[in-house]
Amino acid sequence: MASEVGWYLYGFLSHGDLAPMTGIDGRSPLSLVAENGIAALSSSVSLTEFGEEALRRNLEDLRWLEDKVRLHESIVESALAKGPLLPMKFGTIFLDPERIRAVIRRNTPILRAALEDLREKEEWGVKGFADPAALRAAVLRTDPALLALSREASAKPPGQAFFLRRKMETSASAKSQEREESFAREALETIRETVVEVTEHPPLLPEARRGERIVFNLACLVRQEGVEAFLAGVEQWNQSHAEEGVRLVASGPWPPYHFVPRLDDDG
C-alpha cells in the first residue's frame, strides 16, 4: 500500500464552523477539505486499521464496530447541530484529500442543492406495526358480513355450523390482510400531510413486540417548525386505531442519511 494514511469522510457541509473534536480514531483532529464553497468533514486515519482489508476484518469485531459507529454518529450529530449536513455512511475512506476535492468538483450543483433542501429540516423514522391476532379479532368484531355468518352459524345444527365457521375463518383471514394493507395506506397518507418527503426502506432489525410484525419502515424529512404537528399526527392516528391491532412508532431526529443524493465518486 503506497500510503499508510487515509481520509475518513463524515459528510459534506456548507459552513466552515468546526468544533474542536478528534476523529474516529480518537487521536487525529477533525478537518475541513474545502472546494467550490463546500466543505468535507474528515479526519486522517491509519490504513492499518481503516484500509480495505483491515476494515473488512474489523467489521467482524463487534466491540470495535460498536465503538467506531458510536464515534461516527457523535461526530455527525455534532456537525449537524450547527447546520445542514449530508452525512456519509460509516466507513467512507479516501486515500488523499485531493480525491475528496475531486468528488466535490464533480458534484458541486448536486451538493449545493441538497444542502439547501435540508436546511431547517430533520429526518424522523416511522415504523408501522401490526398484531395479526388483534387485527383479526377486530375484523371479526366489526365486519358486517362476518357478524352475519357468526349469527347464522349459531342458529344452525353442529354440522352446518362447522362449515359456516370455517368459511367465516377463511374470510376473516383474507379481510384481516386487506385491513392491514388499508391501514398501511391510510397511515402513509396521514404522515405525508405533515412531512416534506417520505422514503420507505426495509427494517434493519425485528423491533416488534411479541406477536407483532413490522408492516412498513419509513424515513421522513420534516420541517423543524412542523415536528410538533408531525408527532401529534402520529399520536392521533394511534389513538384512533387503538383497538384495531395496529400502531405507529416515531423516532428521531436522525442525521438525514436517507435523503443524501447519489453522488458521482468515480474518478
Side-chain angles (χ1 to χ4, degrees):
M1 193 173 291
S3 172
E4 291 302 318
V5 176
W7 290 82
Y8 191 104
L9 180 60
Y10 305 93
F12 296 100
L13 56 159
S14 56
H15 59 83
D17 185 12
L18 182 62
M21 292 179 63
T22 54
I24 197 166
D25 66 353
R27 299 182 302 274
S28 304
L30 294 180
S31 62
L32 296 176
V33 178
E35 186 78 11
N36 290 348
I38 294 169
L41 182 63
S42 63
S43 67
S44 61
V45 291
S46 169
L47 293 180
T48 59
E49 184 177 18
F50 286 92
E52 185 176 354
E53 292 184 10
L55 186 59
R56 187 183 304 113
R57 189 168 56 250
N58 283 330
L59 289 176
E60 298 177 0
D61 182 341
L62 294 183
R63 182 176 297 179
W64 182 93
L65 181 60
E66 181 181 1
D67 178 59
K68 297 306 181 185
V69 167
R70 179 181 56 78
L71 287 170
H72 174 99
E73 287 302 306
S74 175
I75 292 166
V76 166
E77 289 173 11
S78 177
L80 187 60
K82 294 181 176 295
L85 172 79
L86 291 176
M88 293 294 101
K89 65 181 180 180
F90 175 81
T92 302
I93 313 290
F94 288 82
L95 293 181
D96 59 69
E98 182 52 38
R99 299 194 184 197
I100 299 177
R101 292 189 182 95
V103 170
I104 296 176
R105 287 194 294 270
R106 286 194 299 274
N107 296 277
T108 295
I110 295 173
L111 290 169
R112 284 178 177 164
L115 286 166
E116 185 59 34
D117 286 344
L118 290 174
R119 192 174 300 281
E120 297 182 353
K121 301 181 184 74
E122 299 175 349
E123 178 174 322
W124 285 75
V126 179
K127 291 183 175 65
F129 297 91
D131 182 332
L135 190 58
R136 183 185 183 87
V139 168
L140 288 168
R141 190 172 61 247
T142 59
D143 186 85
L146 295 177
L147 289 171
L149 272 176
S150 179
R151 288 193 296 269
E152 184 179 357
S154 298
K156 296 292 185 180
Q160 294 181 21
F162 172 79
F163 288 105
L164 284 172
R165 289 195 175 93
R166 286 195 61 180
K167 179 180 178 181
M168 183 177 67
E169 290 296 318
T170 300
S171 181
S173 295
K175 291 191 176 189
S176 295
Q177 181 62 36
E178 291 173 5
R179 185 75 67 90
E180 181 179 299
E181 294 170 359
S182 175
F183 281 142
R185 289 193 300 271
E186 177 190 333
L188 182 56
E189 289 307 309
T190 297
I191 290 166
R192 285 188 188 278
E193 293 175 1
T194 56
V195 305
V196 177
E197 188 177 347
V198 174
T199 180
E200 187 166 2
H201 53 99
L204 297 177
L205 295 170
E207 300 177 40
R209 296 184 301 203
R210 188 176 218 177
E212 289 184 323
R213 62 172 174 257
I214 298 180
V215 179
F216 58 77
N217 188 20
L218 308 176
C220 305
L221 192 62
V222 186
R223 296 187 190 279
Q224 290 174 349
E225 63 185 17
V227 168
E228 186 175 343
F230 161 72
L231 295 175
V234 169
E235 180 58 27
Q236 183 176 358
W237 195 92
N238 282 336
Q239 290 178 3
S240 64
H241 297 83
E243 303 299 322
E244 297 175 279
V246 289
R247 66 186 178 104
L248 305 178
V249 175
S251 63
W254 306 109
Y257 287 105
H258 295 97
F259 299 97
V260 175
R262 184 181 298 276
L263 301 178
D264 173 14
D265 60 359
D266 184 21

